[in-house]
Amino acid sequence: MFVDLISSYPLIFYGAIAFLSFLIVLVSIPSIIFTSLKYNLFDKNDLHRKNHKLNISRLGGVSIVASFIVCILLFSAMINFKEANYLTVSCLILAALGLKDDVYGTNTRTKFTLQLLVAAILVFFGGFRLSSLYGVFHIGDMDLLWGGLFSIILIIFLNNAFNLIDGIDGLAAGIGILASICFGVALAISQYIPYAFIAFALAGAIAGFLKYNWYPAKIFMGDTGALIIGLTTATLAIKFIEINKFTGENKPTFYSAPAIAVSILIVPIFDSLRVFTIRILRGKSPFSGDRDHIHHRLERLGLKPNQIVWITVALNIFIITSTVLLQHFGNFLLIVLLILTCVIYNSFITWRLRKI
């Protein structure tokens, strides 16, 4: 019965799952803030990379994860969507890792090991695996082993990429909402209702959190929230690419799906690749913390966090729209144009900083 109802009125159910997820977070955040005050659970780590002077909890991600998982379990049960179980298990493992890191700290080896485990579960059991690079770097179809290894690396990279852009109020949440909505709409248009549910559930949860994370923030998402957003958007990106695989004999809903997925996630992807490259060239560990992210550079230009979020989201929307409109150009050319756009944007910031 529920399957027929959802198929007949998908927009109502998309709105319902997003609203329920939003409401759960909206109601639960004040209790988390109160608990943090009572037990002195505040962001005291990496203060050299933070701007805030007040005691602010890093446990906002707990509400995002709880709301997201509750909604996924509820709606997946209605439509008997078993693949959601693998995503749920992976989110719980990663949430436990993030929570420990937010409260007590976690060493790099433990983080990497658990992220590797989670990615392997999703790829080899959940079926979230890329089967081709669609001609990018002249690489076509990949077998189970190479496709699986590439997918694991991609998931781990995006996990940490969202964590890296969570440096100012509202940025990771704003980009997370945009990415989730874009994947949700794209998957809904492609008639992949279960995955669209996952996307809209995440969008609703992050939107509820953003109310308290907007500048000046009352709470942070911490590793718990950032890792879950990175994990889920990575799985959505993989599914979006796979369902729009172009074989020459079919007509996918979206052409150049890999390039479109990159455009949706261009902010965490480019910023992470940029800082990793700079750190390596300077002889530092790519995982060492600093204040050289693009949002930090924009702060040095005198912009406030809310202004940085609006500018970044607007640029991201422009890039996504342009990529969709030019989707028949092909993956390789579009990805080159995406990188070139980001390089020009970063060069403009560098030029402005030198004039200060």
Side-chain angles (χ1 to χ4, degrees):
M1 181 182 73
F2 284 117
V3 175
D4 294 334
L5 282 173
I6 292 171
S7 299
S8 301
Y9 308 99
L11 291 179
I12 295 176
F13 283 89
Y14 294 150
I17 193 170
F19 179 73
L20 177 61
S21 186
F22 170 82
L23 194 61
I24 292 174
V25 175
L26 198 68
V27 172
S28 62
I29 287 289
S31 297
I32 293 175
I33 294 175
F34 174 80
T35 303
S36 299
L37 287 169
K38 183 176 180 180
Y39 294 101
N40 198 33
L41 302 174
F42 298 114
D43 180 5
K44 299 176 182 178
N45 298 320
D46 301 325
L47 292 180
H48 66 286
R49 297 191 294 119
K50 308 291 183 180
N51 290 330
H52 59 87
K53 298 179 180 179
L54 300 174
N55 287 332
I56 301 179
S57 172
R58 297 184 64 185
L59 302 182
V62 174
S63 64
I64 295 175
V65 175
S67 173
F68 176 63
I69 289 178
V70 166
C71 291
I72 290 301
L73 289 175
L74 175 62
F75 280 82
S76 64
M78 292 170 59
I79 60 177
N80 194 28
F81 181 52
K82 295 182 180 180
E83 283 185 37
N85 295 334
Y86 297 106
L87 180 59
T88 301
V89 170
S90 299
C91 285
L92 287 173
I93 294 172
L94 212 55
L97 169 66
L99 183 59
K100 182 179 182 299
D101 191 46
D102 291 333
V103 177
Y104 299 109
T106 307
N107 62 60
T108 303
R109 180 178 296 179
T110 302
K111 285 183 180 180
F112 178 76
T113 301
L114 287 179
Q115 287 184 39
L116 183 61
L117 171 64
V118 163
I121 290 173
L122 287 171
V123 170
F124 294 113
F125 294 95
F128 295 94
R129 178 183 65 86
L130 288 175
S131 61
S132 173
L133 285 188
Y134 309 92
V136 179
F137 305 120
H138 302 288
I139 300 175
D141 291 342
M142 298 181 289
D143 59 22
L144 177 61
L145 176 61
W146 290 111
L149 290 176
F150 181 82
S151 300
I152 287 173
I153 293 171
L154 177 64
I155 291 172
I156 293 175
F157 172 76
L158 286 173
N159 270 349
N160 293 283
F162 265 95
N163 203 10
L164 289 174
I165 67 168
D166 185 29
I168 61 170
D169 300 349
L171 182 58
I175 297 300
I177 292 173
L178 177 61
S180 302
I181 291 176
C182 286
F183 282 126
V185 171
L187 290 163
I189 292 173
S190 302
Q191 299 298 313
Y192 279 78
I193 293 175
Y195 297 110
F197 275 155
I198 292 173
F200 288 121
L202 182 63
I206 304 172
F209 167 78
L210 185 59
K211 180 183 184 301
Y212 299 95
N213 186 238
W214 191 252
Y215 177 75
K218 299 179 179 66
I219 193 169
F220 299 140
M221 67 172 64
D223 281 15
T224 309
L227 290 174
I228 295 303
I229 295 173
L231 178 75
T232 307
T233 52
T235 57
L236 291 172
I238 289 172
K239 280 299 177 183
F240 169 72
I241 293 171
E242 282 298 296
I243 65 177
N244 287 286
K245 184 176 181 179
F246 182 59
T247 62
E249 301 176 355
N250 65 324
K251 186 177 181 181
T253 307
F254 294 91
Y255 289 88
S256 302
I260 294 175
V262 171
S263 73
I264 293 172
L265 298 171
I266 192 63
V267 173
I269 288 174
F270 180 76
D271 188 57
S272 298
L273 291 176
R274 177 186 164 276
V275 295
F276 283 165
T277 302
I278 291 173
R279 290 169 187 172
I280 292 172
L281 291 176
R282 291 176 177 173
K284 297 180 180 180
S285 167
F287 303 104
S288 61
D290 56 35
R291 289 184 56 82
D292 198 33
H293 292 276
I294 291 178
H295 52 267
H296 291 138
R297 288 156 59 80
L298 290 170
E299 279 187 311
R300 292 201 289 274
L301 288 175
L303 297 175
K304 294 182 179 179
N306 55 332
Q307 295 173 319
I308 294 172
V309 174
W310 283 121
I311 290 171
T312 305
V313 170
L315 177 63
N316 202 165
I317 292 173
F318 169 76
I319 289 174
I320 295 168
T321 304
S322 300
T323 307
V324 172
L325 292 175
L326 302 174
Q327 59 184 283
H328 290 283
F329 278 29
N331 287 302
F332 181 77
L333 179 57
L334 285 174
I335 290 176
V336 169
L337 290 174
L338 287 172
I339 296 173
L340 183 61
T341 302
C342 293
V343 169
I344 292 172
Y345 177 62
N346 182 64
S347 299
F348 174 75
I349 296 173
T350 302
W351 174 71
R352 291 291 301 164
L353 285 171
R354 288 176 179 174
K355 292 179 69 70
I356 295 178

